[in-house]
Amino acid sequence: MKPQVTPKRLSLLFPPVALGVLTACGGGGSGVDIAEGGIRGTGSSVGPVSGFGSVFVNGVRFETDGDVISNDGIGSEAQLDKGMILRIDGEWRTDGQGTANAIEYDDTFRGRVSNVQKVLDAEGRIVRVSFLIYGQEIRADKLTVLKGRSLETLVDGDFVRVSAWQLEGGSYRASYIGVITADETDVEIEGRITESSTDLGLNRFEISGFLIEYDDDNTEFRDGVTESDLQTDGLSIEVEGELVEINGRPAIQARTIGRDDTRRYRRGDADDIEFTGPVSSAFNNTDRTFTINGLTVLVPNDDVFEDGLTSGDLVSGLLVQVEGAFRSDGVVVAEEIELREADTEVEGAIEPGVIDFSARNFRLGGVLVQVTPQTIIADDDDDRRLTLNDLNGRYDLEVEGIERSRPDGTVFLEAVKIERDVDDTDNAYQMTGRLGDINCSVSITVLGVRMDITSATEFDDVSCSGLESDFNERGLRPLLEVEYIKRNDGTFWADEIELEDD
């Protein structure tokens, strides 16, 4: 059965948003075929870095000259990190390869963290964090790439750079957070102007309550923003400058004032664009449009949706990848739209020798995991850039991604992020995914893994008979968390089955 696409996400994520795009090498043997590179285009590609050698963005490997355009102290490819959101001007091909003519990076925020709030799951693990940088709310979850910190260790006082998407309502979803040692008075924020606080006579205004002061002689207005625009309530802008105090109140003395990060998505010399980001306003059935990253996207027909995604799934916050072309009025006409929101997870010990390097996949607890050019591979203990080769050993892995299926019915997990940890050496696994099949007298199947049901199997917040009847009579596929064991003969049995919030 083809997995259902739903805008509702795992409880471990921020509802309802995540990271990345999936395209990958097809392969022989036991490989899962995934189309490479999407459509061919020449224009701009905007999305998080997922790998290097040269730079992978939106599933395409872009050859670069090594240079990066930035005013944030990042001038070369070697200074980039996974998760940083880039704009690449160049061309990409259907074989997943491309050439970058120019790469641009700009921090969304640079400053000191405050008011860290951590959210725990039922097992007491930190699954998401929110914090402030000079009054602006930023959210991070397990798919956010962190350097120098983790969700567990991020604390008030950390000085960080953040690459993020703005969400509906003005908060931000972090794709990347990195602790930096720099001039800690050199800061950057973006957000919405509070018009009632603007005083052009004093050269002052506020962004979400945080005071900004500018200078007629030393502050540069750019990207088409003018001083009179500061009287526009709700206008979202970017400010870089020096952290100061004004009458005992923290403030920023602005060096530059310009458009916010939506400028990443400006039209370039060519019409084609591919980008990843969270939906801003939901799909409108009347004109068949939705908005994302400040762009209006026209859906010409349902053929542009990939892997079971539908127009009804395009709700605010859902992370998707769009490929299309600019129309003369600035509207993007979509040619492909893919889901980028993680909806499944598996964790446990990987055994040496199970990776099929030609097909870029492996099995973890029986789940077929497909690694793609968009997959972020990270180490739980340090900041090293990991590759698939680094997983070839006895390690404990946590994989989060998207449930997919092949035409022949093979179910697999398309990995968005893989986190490597030391091996716990046992045969216990845990997965979160949608019910694939169930017979209470025999077994249950989730993420393509058949697990025996025995008298020792514990059901939490749900009955087996209820799951079975709902599945058989109404076709319901609820989201389940399953703890299960691998026997010596290679089969599995379900230890505990719990109904997840959906």
Side-chain angles (χ1 to χ4, degrees), residues 405-418:
S405 65
R406 295 176 65 184
D408 65 4
T410 300
V411 176
F412 62 97
L413 174 58
E414 208 168 63
V416 174
K417 183 175 183 181
I418 301 174

Side-chain angles (χ1 to χ4, degrees), residues 247-397:
N247 299 324
R249 179 182 175 184
I252 294 174
Q253 183 69 46
R255 182 171 61 251
T256 64
I257 299 174
R259 288 184 61 194
D260 65 10
D261 279 346
T262 58
R263 69 183 184 279
R264 296 170 179 151
Y265 309 96
R266 69 188 181 277
R267 189 173 190 164
D269 294 333
D271 290 337
D272 296 327
I273 184 170
E274 58 175 7
F275 59 90
T276 299
V279 173
S280 301
S281 62
F283 182 79
N284 184 319
N285 282 300
T286 302
D287 59 12
R288 296 190 62 84
T289 65
F290 65 100
T291 61
I292 179 172
N293 300 329
L295 294 174
T296 297
V297 179
L298 173 67
V299 181
N301 55 65
D302 289 344
D303 292 341
V304 303
F305 292 112
E306 299 289 322
D307 300 307
L309 189 70
T310 71
S311 60
D313 297 320
L314 296 176
V315 297
S316 178
L318 183 73
L319 200 76
V320 296
Q321 181 188 349
V322 177
E323 296 188 54
F326 280 103
R327 214 167 55 182
S328 59
D329 59 0
V331 171
V332 173
V333 181
E335 296 176 38
E336 287 186 5
I337 303 174
E338 294 183 277
L339 178 69
R340 293 307 311 137
E341 195 73 73
D343 59 1
T344 51
E345 176 183 2
V346 62
E347 58 182 291
I350 187 174
E351 298 177 4
V354 303
I355 298 176
D356 183 337
F357 287 97
S358 63
R360 297 174 59 84
N361 64 37
F362 59 87
R363 287 195 181 269
L364 179 63
V367 178
L368 181 59
V369 177
Q370 182 73 47
V371 180
T372 82
Q374 281 290 91
T375 303
I376 299 290
I377 305 176
D379 195 288
D380 187 53
D381 295 324
D382 58 43
D383 303 319
R384 288 185 300 122
R385 298 172 176 176
L386 299 186
T387 67
L388 186 60
N389 291 332
D390 296 312
L391 305 181
N392 191 26
R394 184 80 185 185
Y395 298 107
D396 197 59
L397 303 183

Side-chain angles (χ1 to χ4, degrees), residues 176-226:
Y176 169 84
I177 300 171
V179 175
I180 57 175
T181 55
D183 178 359
E184 297 186 359
T185 64
D186 182 17
V187 299
E188 179 173 352
I189 68 170
E190 70 170 58
R192 298 177 179 177
I193 291 174
T194 308
E195 183 273 334
S196 60
S197 68
T198 299
D199 189 330
L200 299 185
L202 292 176
N203 289 4
R204 293 177 184 175
F205 62 97
E206 293 180 3
I207 293 179
S208 300
F210 196 85
L211 182 61
I212 313 293
E213 186 173 79
Y214 60 95
D215 187 286
D216 290 333
D217 298 322
N218 299 312
T219 300
E220 175 191 359
F221 285 86
R222 63 187 187 188
D223 308 319
V225 176
T226 66

Side-chain angles (χ1 to χ4, degrees), residues 71-72 106-113 133-136 157-162 180 182-190 207 210-213 222 238-245 250-257:
N71 59 359
D72 294 328
D106 184 38
D107 292 334
T108 312
F109 294 95
R110 190 173 59 255
R112 195 170 299 284
V113 170
I133 292 183
Y134 312 132
Q136 313 309 300
D158 284 338
F159 193 83
V160 300
R161 68 167 83 244
V162 178
I180 57 175
D183 178 359
E184 297 186 359
T185 64
D186 182 17
V187 299
E188 179 173 352
I189 68 170
E190 70 170 58
I207 293 179
F210 196 85
L211 182 61
I212 313 293
E213 186 173 79
R222 63 187 187 188
E238 174 192 276
V239 174
E240 294 186 76
E242 181 182 4
L243 188 66
V244 297
E245 282 195 359
I252 294 174
Q253 183 69 46
R255 182 171 61 251
T256 64
I257 299 174

